[in-house]
Amino acid sequence: MNEDLQDKIISLSNGSVGYKEKSRAHKIIKSEISVYALKGELVAVIGENGIGKSTLLRTIAGFQPAAGGDFRICGKQISSYREKELAVLMSFVSTEIIRVSNLSVFDLVSLGRYPYTNWFGKLLAEDHYLIEEAISAVGLQGYEYRMVNHLSDGERQKVMIARSLAQNTEIIVLDEPTAFLDLSNKYEIVHILHRLAHEKDKTILFSTHDLTTAIAEADRLWLMLENSVEQGAPEDLILNGNFDNIFHSNHLYFDREKGDFRVRKETKKAAHVTGEGVALDWTIKALARNGFEIVALTDPADMTIGVNYPEWSVIQGSQQIQFNSLVLLCRYLNSLNSKGAH
């Protein structure tokens, strides 16, 4: 089934993005971009550094002209929108963590209402309602009059998302919104975006390097590769092998089963592993991290490792050694390799 044109809130056809050099000629960073985003979708833009993610988002947000192709918002060319028209249709959150003094959370979020206020910038009852609703939507109730410079980085980023919500636009564009956040805040911010897209029926587009959260939360990915830009559900792109081409490195590969990137390691020895449950899974991960190949019980192996949490055993021939932690087990196995033992 193909989506109708009117469903495509953002639509790019054979687009090119770049920047103007001193000669006023365009330096093309990425071309042949044909992607779209639907109403109520959370879309993640993925790609290695320097491939043009930020340039693409800034072009969509109207901050710089397209270098070529067809860029449409709600079926209309982006370049044909007046600045104020675009401000009530789309809000933008930059990668930079805003550091301001003498502004409360309410004050900063209220800036999102300025496209709608009169010449004096006076907030009406409806504006107050939308500001309070936006603050509540990102989980900052009770923070309204807390000073922004007293917040954590994660809380400040929530304030910036609340400001974009108060702007009450159909589209929210965020450039690396989790770049400077710890793991807990990364997941929370992206989960908030996912919830807002679905509950508020907004089209939310964000760039990120964090594939784990993007795969877990995004409805659609725009995957920026060296020679193309692919799109689809995260699972579609994993199954068709597109993730294998994100990074150009002989040391990294994408594990389709695990859904993340792994470092290629020289296999040291082959092992049978027996046991069950979560302890078995984490034992296999620990052995793989240390370069051991886990083989089927019917295949030849250098040893058998038994998992009976909280104990592990290594069986080689008639010898059996017990361990009470994975760190001791792995140290022992690595010592065998360093001695060339069999």
Side-chain angles (χ1 to χ4, degrees):
M1 182 178 71
N2 294 321
E3 290 85 3
D4 294 330
L5 180 62
Q6 59 264 30
D7 294 329
K8 298 178 181 178
I9 302 300
I10 302 172
S11 177
L12 281 58
S13 179
N14 198 30
S16 297
V17 296
Y19 55 89
K20 286 190 175 181
E21 298 182 308
K22 291 181 179 179
S23 64
R24 296 188 178 181
H26 257 106
K27 169 70 174 178
I28 304 295
I29 296 178
K30 199 70 183 165
S31 58
E32 298 182 15
I33 306 171
S34 294
V35 293
Y36 59 85
L38 304 179
K39 190 175 184 65
E41 275 192 332
L42 177 63
V43 181
V45 183
I46 303 287
E48 61 184 341
N49 285 336
I51 203 159
K53 297 188 298 297
S54 293
T55 305
L56 175 60
L57 294 188
R58 290 181 61 81
T59 304
I60 290 172
F63 295 147
Q64 61 188 67
D70 191 54
F71 284 68
R72 292 179 182 268
I73 299 294
C74 297
K76 181 178 174 181
Q77 288 281 354
I78 294 176
S79 58
S80 67
Y81 281 99
R82 295 194 301 270
E83 186 176 338
K84 188 167 183 178
E85 285 180 315
L86 209 52
V88 298
L89 189 61
M90 183 190 309
S91 52
F92 184 86
V93 179
S94 73
T95 188
E96 183 181 357
I97 297 291
I98 300 299
R99 304 186 185 279
V100 294
S101 57
N102 302 321
L103 267 186
S104 69
V105 169
F106 185 93
D107 293 334
L108 186 50
V109 175
S110 71
L111 295 176
R113 297 304 303 159
Y114 282 176
Y116 306 92
T117 57
N118 57 29
W119 286 102
F120 300 102
K122 184 178 179 180
L123 298 174
L124 303 177
E126 180 186 2
D127 299 311
H128 280 271
Y129 171 79
L130 289 170
I131 293 165
E132 295 287 355
E133 185 182 47
I135 292 171
S136 176
V138 299
L140 290 179
Q141 308 97 309
Y143 284 65
E144 287 85 350
Y145 299 105
R146 190 170 296 188
M147 304 308 290
V148 173
N149 59 336
H150 293 163
L151 302 179
S152 68
D153 285 345
E155 289 166 341
R156 293 183 198 189
Q157 196 64 291
K158 290 179 186 178
V159 174
M160 298 309 296
I161 294 172
R163 188 187 71 167
S164 69
L165 284 175
Q167 199 169 329
N168 200 27
T169 58
E170 285 190 55
I171 304 164
I172 301 175
V173 178
L174 308 97
D175 188 10
E176 291 280 0
T178 64
F180 306 111
L181 303 182
D182 61 27
L183 184 62
S184 175
N185 278 300
K186 284 179 189 288
Y187 275 92
E188 186 177 6
I189 291 295
V190 177
H191 182 66
I192 287 172
L193 297 177
H194 175 91
R195 179 170 51 79
L196 293 173
H198 288 224
E199 292 181 2
K200 304 291 186 182
D201 213 20
K202 294 183 181 295
T203 301
I204 302 180
L205 179 65
F206 75 105
S207 59
T208 183
H209 286 97
D210 194 336
L211 267 74
T212 305
T213 52
I215 290 171
E217 297 285 352
D219 301 300
R220 182 187 301 272
L221 300 183
W222 292 357
L223 194 60
M224 299 185 72
L225 305 174
E226 184 177 19
N227 297 315
S228 66
V229 179
E230 307 295 333
Q231 71 169 341
E235 297 78 11
D236 287 332
L237 297 177
I238 290 170
L239 290 171
N240 65 26
N242 284 123
F243 273 82
D244 300 338
N245 303 316
I246 295 179
F247 301 112
H248 303 285
S249 171
N250 294 327
H251 306 295
L252 282 177
Y253 72 98
F254 187 79
D255 188 323
R256 294 190 195 181
E257 183 178 345
K258 302 295 190 298
D260 60 14
F261 281 90
R262 303 201 168 230
V263 177
R264 296 186 189 277
K265 297 188 177 182
E266 182 181 351
T267 301
K268 298 174 180 177
K269 291 183 182 298
H272 296 147
V273 183
T274 63
E276 59 184 22
V278 175
L280 173 63
D281 295 337
W282 283 104
T283 300
I284 291 172
K285 287 182 173 65
L287 293 172
R289 174 169 51 82
N290 283 276
F292 284 82
E293 181 184 7
I294 312 304
V295 297
L297 295 177
T298 54
D299 294 335
D302 297 291
M303 65 193 72
T304 297
I305 297 171
V307 182
N308 186 22
Y309 187 79
E311 292 188 340
W312 289 260
S313 62
V314 177
I315 302 172
Q316 290 180 289
S318 60
Q319 184 182 25
Q320 179 172 328
I321 304 176
Q322 299 290 125
F323 300 90
N324 61 9
S325 73
L326 274 171
V327 68
L328 293 176
L329 170 67
C330 291
R331 285 185 66 182
Y332 171 75
L333 294 176
N334 283 321
S335 73
L336 293 180
N337 284 307
S338 64
K339 295 175 183 176
H342 296 277

